[in-house]
Amino acid sequence: MEIIDLRSDTVTQPTPAMREAMAKAQVGDDVYGEDPTINRLQEMAAEMLGKEAGLFIPSGTMGNLAAILAHCNRGDEIILGHMAHTFLYEAGGIAAVGGIHPRTIPNQADGTLLLDDIREAIRPRDSHFPITRLITLENTHNRCGGAVLSVEYTQAVADIARAHDLSLHLDGARIFNAAAALDVDVVDLVAPVDSITFCLSKALCAPVGSVLCGSREFISRAHRMRKQLGGGMRQAGILAAAGIVALQEIVPRLVEDHLRARTLAQGLGSVAGVIPDTRQPPSNMVYLTLREDVSLDAQAVAEELRKHNVLVGVVSKRSFRLVTHYWIDDKAIHTAVEAFEKVLENYS
Ligand code: TLP
């Protein structure tokens, strides 16, 4: 029986075209800069994002960490949202490894940080305080429902950064989803930021990897950080080959996942017992909450759904995240909604 795995887009398996490209990939030692497939992926990624250079990195977590280490010195402070992936889900790496002080300010429901909150969080130069060095945004914003930050908003934050001599990093794990949702050129969306990490291994279906992009000078600093973190790989062109296919073949179809997320939210909106956060999810994520009269908690509902071969992410005691991706078709959406109906009819 086919499993419908909506826990994340990280669960995506490589496509047949990716497996073929991986099998045929030309490889070399990337620590010597001699892997032609990695070099090609890095050039393609940088060009697609309008940045000078790119760096293939094993994961999104390491991409953000290498970027932040390349921007900051020990004891510096970065400003980021309290719901940022880097703050919540990256094992405290910036503090543990980098000695970097996270200054969180509230994320709004739409994933933004209030511009006044950012301005207020910037420290005056005074020896009592850490030095504010960097602002980090996330687009799309995972814990804010897959929310999408606009070009104008990103530019407004960049203007503040410039005015205070700070840098701006973007956790753009799903930046191509953001560009598809806004129907804008991704180059315009990331033009205001100094650095961006995006992931090949989420909505883009590749098995491994992220690419960090920025100026040539920044990437050469990040290259050293990647090495320090143990992320220098050897014949990893086998992985980069899948990334190239992802950029060529998966990026153009992401809007399909967003349409299916809407169909899913609308379907779940008619199921007694759950309330989708919105029936118009901004990208490929559907967040929903159990109604108060449902006697099971989210974990128990997830276990019941598993019996119907539907896997969902449990976010809290009474809420879920469902993520659409390449391997979720219309039939899977229908089956998932039916499974929620069957499970909840007995408990609400
Ligand atoms: N997100 C994962 C989990 O860690 C929550 C998921 O299932 O969504 N930035 C963002 C915005 C992310 O969503 C993730 C992964 C990362 C960075 C980290 O990427 P990896 O897992 O490659 O280290």
Side-chain angles (χ1 to χ4, degrees):
M1 178 77 186
E2 195 195 334
I3 303 287
I4 297 167
D5 196 344
L6 293 158
R7 289 173 301 168
S8 182
D9 47 12
T10 60
V11 303
T12 44
Q13 298 271 325
T15 64
M18 288 177 186
R19 288 180 189 271
E20 201 186 322
M22 292 170 81
K24 290 184 182 157
Q26 280 188 357
V27 296
D29 191 329
D30 183 49
V31 170
Y32 298 154
E34 288 175 2
D35 188 304
T37 312
I38 292 186
N39 291 341
R40 184 155 163 248
L41 170 69
Q42 292 175 163
E43 281 159 23
M44 263 181 85
E47 199 187 321
M48 279 175 87
L49 294 181
K51 300 294 181 196
E52 283 176 10
L55 186 65
F56 186 52
I57 303 227
S59 69
T61 300
M62 194 189 283
N64 287 329
L65 182 54
I68 293 169
L69 292 175
H71 282 298
C72 301
N73 301 309
R74 290 187 76 77
D76 285 350
E77 186 168 74
I78 71 167
I79 297 171
L80 76 177
H82 77 303
M83 299 289 260
H85 192 279
T86 297
F87 182 64
L88 290 179
Y89 298 121
E90 294 175 12
I94 56 169
V97 180
I100 290 156
H101 202 233
R103 175 87 180 268
T104 53
I105 56 178
N107 274 114
Q108 306 302 300
D110 64 359
T112 60
L113 306 171
L114 294 180
L115 300 180
D116 279 343
D117 286 351
I118 298 177
R119 284 190 200 97
E120 265 174 46
I122 298 170
R123 308 271 192 172
R125 289 294 167 117
D126 176 318
S127 60
H128 291 83
F129 302 135
I131 296 171
T132 310
R133 190 74 68 186
L134 179 74
I135 305 169
T136 297
L137 295 175
E138 184 175 317
N139 197 9
T140 63
H141 201 293
N142 186 341
R143 278 307 303 274
C144 293
V148 177
L149 308 181
S150 67
V151 175
E152 295 72 24
Y153 175 76
T154 311
Q155 186 59 56
V157 175
D159 291 343
I160 296 176
R162 300 288 107 77
H164 292 86
D165 202 18
L166 309 178
S167 298
L168 177 59
H169 173 67
L170 181 63
D171 176 355
R174 300 180 179 83
I175 195 63
F176 291 104
N177 291 83
L182 292 166
D183 195 18
V184 299
D185 188 337
V186 70
V187 170
D188 297 332
L189 193 50
V190 305
V193 308
D194 298 293
S195 58
I196 167 172
T197 312
F198 77 87
C199 294
L200 297 160
S201 63
K202 301 194 169 56
L204 299 189
C205 264
V208 180
S210 294
V211 186
L212 174 60
C213 295
S215 69
R216 231 178 283 291
E217 187 268 331
F218 168 79
I219 289 296
S220 81
R221 274 184 282 135
H223 192 269
R224 169 174 285 275
M225 296 306 152
R226 185 186 69 172
K227 187 69 187 154
Q228 280 187 348
L229 296 171
M233 296 185 285
R234 303 292 177 175
Q235 288 73 27
I238 275 184
L239 305 174
I244 291 171
V245 177
L247 292 178
Q248 288 168 333
E249 294 183 10
I250 312 294
V251 168
R253 60 153 304 284
L254 290 174
V255 78
E256 283 182 38
D257 298 338
H258 301 177
L259 293 173
R260 290 201 177 93
R262 289 193 174 195
T263 311
L264 180 60
Q266 277 150 20
L268 291 168
S270 314
V271 174
V274 280
I275 308 164
D277 285 7
T278 168
R279 290 193 184 205
Q280 301 281 313
S283 58
N284 67 336
M285 296 185 183
V286 178
Y287 277 78
L288 46 140
T289 307
L290 283 175
R291 231 173 45 195
E292 276 174 21
D293 56 338
V294 175
S295 54
L296 295 180
D297 67 10
Q299 191 57 48
V301 170
E303 277 157 29
E304 289 300 314
L305 289 166
R306 187 180 275 272
K307 294 179 189 160
H308 295 269
N309 298 310
V310 173
L311 309 187
V312 298
V314 173
V315 174
S316 73
K317 235 173 145 33
R318 299 198 64 82
S319 65
F320 308 94
R321 183 189 70 161
L322 280 59
V323 187
T324 56
H325 52 75
Y326 182 85
W327 297 103
I328 298 295
D329 59 11
D330 293 336
K331 189 162 150 272
I333 297 289
H334 183 73
T335 310
V337 173
E338 258 183 9
F340 268 93
E341 270 165 2
K342 283 184 200 144
V343 168
L344 292 173
E345 69 189 358
N346 301 322
Y347 294 97
S348 57

